[in-house]
Amino acid sequence: MSRRTRRFVMDRRQALRAMGLAGAGAMGCGLALPRLAAAQAGRSPRRVVFVLAELGWVADTLRMRPPDAPPEFGRYAGPWFADPVAMGLPDEDAYTLDLAGMGHGDLSPALAPLAGHSGRLTVLDGLGLHSAGAGSVVDAHRIGHAVAISGGAGGFDRRNNGLPSLDQRMATRLRVLEPRLTDLAALSFTVLPEMGRFGQVGPNYDFRFLDNGVGGGVPVPGETRVDAALARLAPGTVAPRYGRLKAMRTDVLDALSFEYTRIAGRVGAEDRARLELHRDLLRDLAARDAALGDSVCAVPEGVGQPNAGDAAARYEATSRSFADLIAMAFSCDIARVASIQFADPPTTLFGAGGDLDSGYAHPAGPDYQRNGVGGDRAAAVEVMTRHMQWHAQQIALLADRLAAMPEGDGTVLDHTAIVWVNEMTHGNHEFDQWPVVMVGDLGGAFRAGRYIRFAQDTPTVFGRDRQFCGVPHTRLLESLWAGMELGPIEFAARTVPGVVRTGPFEGMRRDVVLGGTLDALMA
């Protein structure tokens, strides 16, 4: 061991702390996460972006209806659905609308900002978060976050959903297929206000989870600062002394590797698994340094840590900078998977004040009277519609960036799918009739330009108010995996028991098959 390495010898507690295993910040070490796979020879790579929103949708201004349908068809009307689901009945009505060529005034108000990409737009209306019923935690926000992009059984506890999220699974598989790629394969960003709803700095709940090596998942710490993200993606642009700093970091990484070898034999199996996870993350950091070298991507003009304006202006500026960094990383082939979580957006973005959840999302839900929420539903629907429109605007911005980048015989957007999800259907915490909005066909894997409404005829698993819902959302996750051409995938459970608990069909039972792709989506 060299003299320089000896200077970094630590005791067990110091080493665990340096590896992020001591104290509360187990995964808060600021490391980026898994790698990616590159394009096959002669073909552009495929990419996925997850846009992770919160507090649900408002069907009144999101849902699109057949041209000859009456105004009340398939919409929320006061405290109840104007369809059979609210009465404990299945709804066999399913339809598909052609969105290609639709303009701003043709799309629903929530979708109108995406009119420039109507030919690439896909809306899946009426999926069911069936895997949310496989857990026991009653907090719908917590369960929905845990299963939305993982498909795992919901809510084992707040910090462990039992299954890594799809973005992380994609990145892990991609880097097996192409080992040259680094841990920047999956980029994870979180847009935060200065302080969360409960006074915390950080999101209330997590969508993204990394395999912890012992059969569970640990939250992925989404990067919240633009300057820190830029330092990872293009270090030479923000650190003139980067070469010297990189050499110093290499010394530290070598020392930590030595400490792992020294300590691994002295701890139990669970601690050893956690050590191995962090050892792998440290190796990724070293591999990233080697891969990036001193090369610099062309950083888009205006990207930087926002400091001017009020909280809403800074929130929106952060969102736009993260969109630019995703576009940059895709264009330089640094990343193939990315995600942006929008946590606790300031209500002033939507022309309102107060708490977005209790003040607007709850009363905008279809069951606000029956649930005793009260409030002015019309005003709440208006605010939550602006909430959806704002997210659609952020997606349109990212889609515009990707569409402006030539690649192969098309553009980067032509080989990408932007997938917009929420942790639940609406502000009254239900998991049926779950919508997903997508832009892009993932290199021809999907048939885009369509609005697809699914029948609500599958007995629910989650045992909440609705007794029937649509096709399991895990089939969308499997479709995304198939579209990325990553081979077979399995979720924690392939089937879960569905049962009707009340109404005319009480006692009806049917196993719900979670696996398989969405035939209606695939090309």
Side-chain angles (χ1 to χ4, degrees):
M1 183 171 58
S2 70
R3 181 175 302 172
R4 177 171 299 204
T5 303
R6 283 196 193 97
R7 293 171 52 198
F8 291 97
V9 172
M10 314 167 191
D11 63 25
R12 178 178 181 273
R13 180 174 297 179
Q14 289 172 319
L16 291 173
R17 183 177 296 112
M19 294 180 186
L21 298 175
M27 286 299 293
C29 51
L31 297 175
L33 295 150
R35 296 179 201 155
L36 44 144
Q40 297 177 7
R43 197 175 70 182
S44 299
R46 295 180 175 185
R47 309 172 181 91
V48 174
V49 182
F50 292 98
V51 176
L52 309 170
E54 299 177 337
L55 304 183
W57 311 80
V58 179
D60 305 55
T61 52
L62 170 71
R63 180 163 293 160
M64 296 183 64
R65 303 161 183 83
D68 57 347
E72 69 274 10
F73 177 85
R75 63 172 292 150
Y76 295 95
W80 292 99
F81 271 117
D83 61 38
V85 177
M87 298 175 282
L89 300 172
D91 181 1
E92 302 287 349
D93 206 354
Y95 55 89
T96 300
L97 305 177
D98 185 2
L99 300 180
M102 284 195 176
H104 190 278
D106 302 315
L107 296 171
S108 66
L111 298 173
L114 295 169
H117 298 283
S118 61
R120 296 184 174 103
L121 183 62
T122 302
V123 182
L124 306 175
D125 179 8
L127 299 179
L129 284 172
H130 290 273
S131 54
S136 59
V137 176
V138 297
D139 184 338
H141 293 284
R142 183 179 303 177
I143 295 173
H145 279 83
V147 306
I149 62 168
S150 78
F156 286 108
D157 59 56
R158 175 171 178 174
R159 289 298 185 183
N160 186 349
N161 77 329
L163 201 66
S165 52
L166 192 66
D167 60 323
Q168 303 305 313
R169 296 181 76 173
M170 283 180 171
T172 300
R173 177 61 181 158
L174 287 166
R175 52 192 307 191
V176 168
L177 296 176
E178 191 167 344
R180 73 168 181 84
L181 300 164
T182 77
D183 62 334
L184 296 175
L187 304 178
S188 303
F189 298 127
T190 300
V191 185
L192 284 171
E194 278 74 7
M195 186 171 290
R197 288 178 56 223
F198 304 114
Q200 85 286 0
V201 178
N204 299 323
Y205 303 110
D206 302 291
F207 281 98
R208 298 161 298 208
F209 295 84
L210 180 68
D211 190 343
N212 68 359
V214 290
V218 288
V220 172
E223 182 57 71
T224 61
R225 293 188 58 86
V226 177
D227 52 4
L230 191 56
R232 288 212 324 263
L233 292 168
T237 65
V238 295
R241 298 165 62 197
Y242 174 66
R244 181 181 174 190
L245 292 172
K246 185 171 73 171
M248 293 172 62
R249 187 160 67 184
T250 300
D251 289 338
V252 174
L253 295 176
D254 288 345
L256 288 174
S257 178
F258 169 78
E259 291 303 316
Y260 164 78
T261 303
R262 188 169 67 91
I263 292 171
R266 306 180 187 179
V267 298
E270 184 172 349
D271 278 344
R272 189 178 305 113
R274 297 173 73 195
L275 279 168
E276 288 173 353
L277 171 64
H278 284 268
R279 178 197 60 187
D280 291 343
L281 291 172
L282 290 169
R283 286 175 175 171
D284 287 340
L285 183 58
R288 186 211 312 162
D289 277 346
L292 288 179
D294 296 321
S295 64
V296 177
C297 275
V299 178
E301 185 178 351
V303 171
Q305 186 65 33
N307 296 309
D310 59 13
R314 292 193 295 274
Y315 192 97
E316 187 160 45
T318 299
S319 169
R320 291 175 179 271
S321 286
F322 282 157
D324 284 337
L325 289 178
I326 289 173
M328 180 192 80
F330 281 3
S331 70
C332 296
D333 202 23
I334 295 173
R336 301 275 173 79
V337 187
S339 62
I340 307 180
Q341 178 177 352
F342 291 106
D344 292 328
T347 51
T348 52
L349 278 172
F350 322 119
D355 182 69
L356 190 63
D357 187 12
S358 61
Y360 303 98
H362 285 184
D367 302 332
Y368 73 109
Q369 291 176 348
R370 183 171 59 83
N371 289 349
V373 175
D376 184 343
R377 184 169 190 272
V381 166
E382 183 175 352
V383 170
M384 293 306 293
T385 298
R386 294 185 201 132
H387 176 260
M388 292 187 293
Q389 290 171 331
W390 184 87
H391 286 82
Q393 290 165 1
Q394 308 312 302
I395 293 168
L397 172 70
L398 175 59
D400 290 344
R401 297 284 193 272
L402 300 181
M405 296 176 175
E407 182 179 58
D409 58 356
T411 69
V412 172
L413 181 59
D414 290 329
H415 308 112
T416 301
I418 304 172
V419 186
W420 174 16
V421 304
N422 265 269
E423 91 277 29
M424 55 191 180
T425 303
H426 54 72
N428 296 148
H429 300 183
E430 298 290 355
F431 297 131
D432 69 301
Q433 313 217 35
W434 192 65
V436 174
V437 176
M438 301 170 56
V439 177
D441 63 10
L442 196 54
F446 306 143
R447 287 180 288 152
R450 296 178 303 147
Y451 185 106
I452 305 171
R453 168 67 181 176
F454 293 91
Q456 305 297 294
D457 56 2
T458 303
T460 64
V461 175
F462 29 82
R464 299 177 68 83
D465 294 332
R466 311 299 184 205
Q467 300 306 306
F468 292 91
C469 62
V471 176
H473 91 292
T474 45
R475 297 190 188 180
L476 166 63
L477 303 184
E478 193 156 336
S479 298
L480 291 166
W481 183 272
M484 289 288 285
E485 301 180 318
L486 300 177
I489 186 174
E490 279 204 22
F491 296 100
R494 299 302 287 177
T495 62
V496 289
V499 59
V500 178
R501 293 169 174 81
T502 188
F505 290 85
E506 182 177 356
M508 176 180 175
R509 296 177 180 273
R510 185 193 308 164
D511 282 346
V512 179
V513 179
L514 301 182
T517 58
L518 279 175
D519 292 340
L521 175 64
M522 306 303 291

